[in-house]
Short mmCIF file of all heavy atoms in Angstrom, two decimals:
data_model
loop_
_atom_site.label_atom_id
_atom_site.label_comp_id
_atom_site.label_asym_id
_atom_site.label_seq_id
_atom_site.Cartn_x
_atom_site.Cartn_y
_atom_site.Cartn_z
N HIS A 88 5.03 -17.19 8.01
CA HIS A 88 4.93 -17.19 6.55
C HIS A 88 5.55 -15.90 5.98
O HIS A 88 4.95 -14.83 6.05
CB HIS A 88 3.47 -17.32 6.11
CG HIS A 88 2.83 -18.59 6.55
ND1 HIS A 88 3.03 -19.78 5.91
CD2 HIS A 88 1.99 -18.86 7.60
CE1 HIS A 88 2.34 -20.74 6.52
NE2 HIS A 88 1.71 -20.19 7.55
N ALA A 89 6.72 -16.04 5.40
CA ALA A 89 7.43 -14.87 4.87
C ALA A 89 6.66 -14.22 3.73
O ALA A 89 6.68 -12.99 3.57
CB ALA A 89 8.82 -15.29 4.39
N SER A 90 5.98 -15.01 2.89
CA SER A 90 5.26 -14.44 1.75
C SER A 90 4.12 -13.54 2.21
O SER A 90 3.81 -12.53 1.57
CB SER A 90 4.72 -15.55 0.84
OG SER A 90 3.75 -16.33 1.52
N LEU A 91 3.49 -13.87 3.32
CA LEU A 91 2.42 -13.04 3.86
C LEU A 91 2.96 -11.69 4.31
O LEU A 91 2.39 -10.64 4.01
CB LEU A 91 1.74 -13.77 5.02
CG LEU A 91 0.56 -13.06 5.68
CD1 LEU A 91 -0.57 -12.84 4.69
CD2 LEU A 91 0.06 -13.89 6.87
N MET A 92 4.09 -11.71 5.01
CA MET A 92 4.68 -10.46 5.47
C MET A 92 5.18 -9.63 4.30
O MET A 92 5.07 -8.41 4.30
CB MET A 92 5.84 -10.78 6.43
CG MET A 92 6.30 -9.57 7.23
SD MET A 92 5.02 -8.96 8.33
CE MET A 92 5.32 -7.21 8.25
N ARG A 93 5.71 -10.31 3.27
CA ARG A 93 6.22 -9.59 2.10
C ARG A 93 5.08 -8.86 1.37
O ARG A 93 5.20 -7.69 1.01
CB ARG A 93 6.90 -10.56 1.15
CG ARG A 93 7.51 -9.88 -0.09
CD ARG A 93 8.15 -10.88 -1.03
NE ARG A 93 7.18 -11.82 -1.58
CZ ARG A 93 7.13 -13.12 -1.30
NH1 ARG A 93 8.01 -13.65 -0.44
NH2 ARG A 93 6.23 -13.91 -1.83
N GLU A 94 3.96 -9.53 1.17
CA GLU A 94 2.83 -8.90 0.47
C GLU A 94 2.22 -7.79 1.32
O GLU A 94 1.75 -6.78 0.80
CB GLU A 94 1.78 -9.94 0.11
CG GLU A 94 2.23 -10.93 -0.94
CD GLU A 94 2.74 -10.24 -2.18
OE1 GLU A 94 2.09 -9.27 -2.64
OE2 GLU A 94 3.80 -10.64 -2.70
N LEU A 95 2.23 -7.99 2.63
CA LEU A 95 1.71 -6.95 3.52
C LEU A 95 2.59 -5.70 3.43
O LEU A 95 2.08 -4.58 3.34
CB LEU A 95 1.68 -7.48 4.95
CG LEU A 95 1.06 -6.57 6.01
CD1 LEU A 95 -0.40 -6.31 5.70
CD2 LEU A 95 1.19 -7.20 7.39
N ALA A 96 3.90 -5.87 3.43
CA ALA A 96 4.82 -4.74 3.32
C ALA A 96 4.66 -4.04 1.97
O ALA A 96 4.67 -2.81 1.89
CB ALA A 96 6.27 -5.21 3.49
N ARG A 97 4.49 -4.83 0.91
CA ARG A 97 4.32 -4.24 -0.43
C ARG A 97 3.03 -3.41 -0.49
O ARG A 97 3.01 -2.32 -1.03
CB ARG A 97 4.27 -5.36 -1.46
CG ARG A 97 4.09 -4.88 -2.90
CD ARG A 97 4.01 -6.06 -3.85
NE ARG A 97 5.26 -6.80 -3.89
CZ ARG A 97 5.43 -7.95 -4.56
NH1 ARG A 97 4.41 -8.48 -5.22
NH2 ARG A 97 6.60 -8.57 -4.55
N MET A 98 1.97 -3.96 0.09
CA MET A 98 0.69 -3.25 0.08
C MET A 98 0.78 -1.96 0.89
O MET A 98 0.28 -0.90 0.47
CB MET A 98 -0.39 -4.16 0.64
CG MET A 98 -1.77 -3.56 0.74
SD MET A 98 -2.00 -2.63 2.28
CE MET A 98 -1.57 -3.87 3.48
N MET A 99 1.42 -1.99 2.07
CA MET A 99 1.53 -0.79 2.90
C MET A 99 2.38 0.28 2.22
O MET A 99 2.07 1.46 2.30
CB MET A 99 2.10 -1.15 4.27
CG MET A 99 1.13 -1.90 5.15
SD MET A 99 1.69 -2.02 6.87
CE MET A 99 3.18 -2.98 6.67
N LEU A 100 3.45 -0.14 1.53
CA LEU A 100 4.28 0.82 0.82
C LEU A 100 3.49 1.50 -0.29
O LEU A 100 3.58 2.71 -0.47
CB LEU A 100 5.51 0.11 0.24
CG LEU A 100 6.52 0.99 -0.49
CD1 LEU A 100 7.08 2.04 0.45
CD2 LEU A 100 7.66 0.14 -1.05
N ALA A 101 2.68 0.73 -1.03
CA ALA A 101 1.86 1.31 -2.08
C ALA A 101 0.85 2.29 -1.50
O ALA A 101 0.60 3.36 -2.06
CB ALA A 101 1.14 0.20 -2.85
N ARG A 102 0.29 1.94 -0.34
CA ARG A 102 -0.70 2.83 0.28
C ARG A 102 -0.04 4.12 0.76
O ARG A 102 -0.59 5.21 0.60
CB ARG A 102 -1.38 2.12 1.44
CG ARG A 102 -2.41 2.98 2.16
CD ARG A 102 -3.19 2.20 3.20
NE ARG A 102 -4.14 1.29 2.57
CZ ARG A 102 -5.01 0.55 3.26
NH1 ARG A 102 -5.02 0.59 4.57
NH2 ARG A 102 -5.85 -0.25 2.63
N LEU A 103 1.17 4.01 1.33
CA LEU A 103 1.88 5.20 1.78
C LEU A 103 2.20 6.11 0.61
O LEU A 103 2.06 7.33 0.68
CB LEU A 103 3.16 4.81 2.51
CG LEU A 103 3.01 4.32 3.95
CD1 LEU A 103 4.33 3.75 4.44
CD2 LEU A 103 2.53 5.44 4.86
N ARG A 104 2.65 5.53 -0.50
CA ARG A 104 2.94 6.34 -1.68
C ARG A 104 1.68 7.01 -2.20
O ARG A 104 1.69 8.16 -2.61
CB ARG A 104 3.56 5.46 -2.76
CG ARG A 104 5.00 5.06 -2.47
CD ARG A 104 5.49 4.03 -3.45
NE ARG A 104 6.90 3.72 -3.25
CZ ARG A 104 7.52 2.67 -3.77
NH1 ARG A 104 6.85 1.82 -4.56
NH2 ARG A 104 8.80 2.48 -3.54
N GLY A 105 0.58 6.27 -2.18
CA GLY A 105 -0.68 6.85 -2.64
C GLY A 105 -1.13 7.98 -1.74
O GLY A 105 -1.62 9.00 -2.21
N THR A 106 -0.94 7.83 -0.43
CA THR A 106 -1.32 8.89 0.51
C THR A 106 -0.49 10.13 0.28
O THR A 106 -0.99 11.26 0.32
CB THR A 106 -1.14 8.40 1.96
OG1 THR A 106 -1.96 7.25 2.16
CG2 THR A 106 -1.55 9.47 2.94
N GLN A 107 0.81 9.95 0.00
CA GLN A 107 1.67 11.10 -0.25
C GLN A 107 1.24 11.85 -1.50
O GLN A 107 1.36 13.06 -1.60
CB GLN A 107 3.13 10.63 -0.39
CG GLN A 107 3.74 10.17 0.94
CD GLN A 107 5.05 9.43 0.74
OE1 GLN A 107 5.50 9.22 -0.38
NE2 GLN A 107 5.64 9.02 1.85
N ARG A 108 0.70 11.11 -2.48
CA ARG A 108 0.22 11.76 -3.70
C ARG A 108 -1.23 12.18 -3.58
O ARG A 108 -1.81 12.72 -4.51
CB ARG A 108 0.37 10.81 -4.90
CG ARG A 108 1.80 10.45 -5.23
CD ARG A 108 1.86 9.80 -6.60
NE ARG A 108 0.98 8.64 -6.69
CZ ARG A 108 1.33 7.39 -6.41
NH1 ARG A 108 2.54 7.14 -5.97
NH2 ARG A 108 0.46 6.40 -6.54
N ASN A 109 -1.85 11.85 -2.43
CA ASN A 109 -3.24 12.19 -2.17
C ASN A 109 -4.19 11.51 -3.16
O ASN A 109 -5.17 12.09 -3.60
CB ASN A 109 -3.45 13.71 -2.22
CG ASN A 109 -4.70 14.13 -1.47
OD1 ASN A 109 -5.00 13.56 -0.43
ND2 ASN A 109 -5.43 15.11 -1.99
N VAL A 110 -3.87 10.28 -3.57
CA VAL A 110 -4.74 9.58 -4.51
C VAL A 110 -5.55 8.48 -3.83
O VAL A 110 -6.51 7.99 -4.41
CB VAL A 110 -3.93 8.97 -5.68
CG1 VAL A 110 -3.24 10.06 -6.46
CG2 VAL A 110 -2.91 7.95 -5.18
N ALA A 111 -5.15 8.11 -2.62
CA ALA A 111 -5.85 7.01 -1.97
C ALA A 111 -7.17 7.43 -1.35
O ALA A 111 -7.98 6.60 -1.01
CB ALA A 111 -4.95 6.41 -0.88
N ALA A 112 -7.38 8.73 -1.21
CA ALA A 112 -8.53 9.21 -0.47
C ALA A 112 -9.68 9.63 -1.37
O ALA A 112 -10.57 10.34 -0.94
CB ALA A 112 -8.13 10.39 0.41
N GLU A 113 -9.65 9.23 -2.63
CA GLU A 113 -10.63 9.75 -3.56
C GLU A 113 -11.99 9.07 -3.44
O GLU A 113 -12.09 7.84 -3.49
CB GLU A 113 -10.13 9.59 -5.00
CG GLU A 113 -8.86 10.34 -5.30
CD GLU A 113 -8.96 11.80 -4.98
OE1 GLU A 113 -10.04 12.39 -5.17
OE2 GLU A 113 -7.97 12.38 -4.53
N PRO A 114 -13.07 9.86 -3.33
CA PRO A 114 -14.40 9.29 -3.50
C PRO A 114 -14.62 8.98 -4.97
O PRO A 114 -14.02 9.61 -5.85
CB PRO A 114 -15.32 10.41 -3.03
CG PRO A 114 -14.55 11.66 -3.27
CD PRO A 114 -13.10 11.30 -3.08
N LYS A 115 -15.46 8.02 -5.28
CA LYS A 115 -15.75 7.72 -6.68
C LYS A 115 -17.23 7.56 -6.95
O LYS A 115 -17.65 7.58 -8.11
CB LYS A 115 -14.99 6.48 -7.14
CG LYS A 115 -15.40 5.18 -6.50
CD LYS A 115 -14.55 4.01 -7.03
CE LYS A 115 -14.64 3.85 -8.52
NZ LYS A 115 -13.85 2.71 -9.03
#
């Protein structure tokens, strides 16, 4: 399923960008 791999890649890219900005690790 190409759509599954595409959404997985999109999600991982967003997480990597968030990690680089140090925003993914925030407690709330």
